[in-house]
Amino acid sequence: MAAVKLWSDPLLAMQYTISLPEGYDAKRVRERVDVRSRLFDGHDGLVHKSFLYNDEGKLYAPFYVWKNVVEARDFLMDDLFKGVIEAFSRHRVRSWFVVQMGYGNRSLKPTYARREIDAIAPEERLDIFLNAEKMHQETLLSNPNLYMHVIAIDADRWEIMRFSLWKDNASAEEPASDAHLEFTVMHVTENGH
């Protein structure tokens, strides 16, 4: 297993979730990913992109980590995102400030992803809460079946978001929240980390 690597740079995570129309064949999504994933290799400012699909809800939901808000904003204005709008219309894009991002076993090929979102109680001290999240993440990263884990916050809604990539569903640890979405990983693009 590769050494655990943690990032606490001022990164920005974002995700849009597209509900595919009735009768839309998942094979078309896979074909789209096969073609478009190459366009993100070496893309300026992109640290990570997971191409994700939830079969049960027929959701296509790419997950990104950007070096900063400027790079993320520029993507939303460029031709790559214009292609998303032309294919699926313009969907709401959620964004979170990354508290910490860590890689575990980078030698494996992840096939399963999970995104969890929990409210942070108003009385909760953020420093204590986030330190506990970081300690939990460091424990998770020692699991040989975990590829990557992201902790991020939405300061508008005061929510914590946890995103993880695993070898497969069977090897993933139980979610920390009952508010979670599960995805099949169709492709992962890594740039610069």
Side-chain angles (χ1 to χ4, degrees), residues 136-184:
H136 180 66
Q137 181 187 60
E138 289 176 27
T139 302
L140 280 177
L141 291 171
S142 65
N143 184 321
N145 297 307
L146 179 68
Y147 179 82
M148 183 185 86
H149 189 269
V150 176
I151 305 164
I153 58 169
D154 176 340
D156 177 46
R157 300 175 185 202
W158 286 113
E159 293 175 337
I160 185 86
M161 187 276 297
R162 302 172 199 95
F163 177 79
S164 53
L165 292 174
W166 297 87
K167 177 182 174 185
D168 53 37
N169 185 6
S171 65
E173 292 192 7
E174 289 295 313
S177 167
D178 58 359
H180 64 273
L181 270 175
E182 300 178 337
F183 303 96
T184 298

Side-chain angles (χ1 to χ4, degrees), residues 19-126:
S19 297
L20 299 173
E22 189 68 35
Y24 195 95
D25 189 353
K27 182 180 174 187
R28 289 175 58 193
V29 175
R30 292 188 188 285
E31 290 168 353
R32 179 180 176 83
V33 169
D34 287 344
V35 171
R36 291 187 56 89
S37 62
R38 291 174 272 223
L39 302 174
F40 289 90
D41 292 338
H43 190 284
D44 285 344
L46 180 66
V47 175
H48 171 92
K49 180 175 180 180
S50 291
F51 294 82
L52 306 174
Y53 183 70
N54 174 290
D55 190 51
E56 182 180 337
K58 302 295 185 233
L59 303 173
Y60 175 55
F63 179 87
Y64 302 78
V65 177
W66 295 95
K67 286 183 181 173
N68 57 54
V69 70
V70 173
E71 304 287 358
R73 179 206 61 204
D74 290 351
F75 164 71
L76 294 174
M77 305 300 156
D78 77 11
D79 287 341
L80 281 174
F81 192 67
K82 185 178 177 184
V84 173
I85 295 169
E86 289 170 354
F88 301 109
S89 79
R90 188 174 60 219
H91 287 74
R92 185 175 126 212
V93 179
R94 293 283 318 260
S95 61
W96 302 268
F97 295 112
V98 173
V99 174
Q100 189 163 276
M101 174 176 164
Y103 288 101
N105 184 357
R106 293 183 81 181
S107 67
L108 62 84
K109 182 178 178 182
T111 64
Y112 171 78
R114 182 187 304 133
R115 186 196 73 198
E116 304 173 50
I117 296 179
D118 270 329
I120 302 171
E123 65 276 6
E124 193 82 54
R125 276 193 44 191
L126 281 178

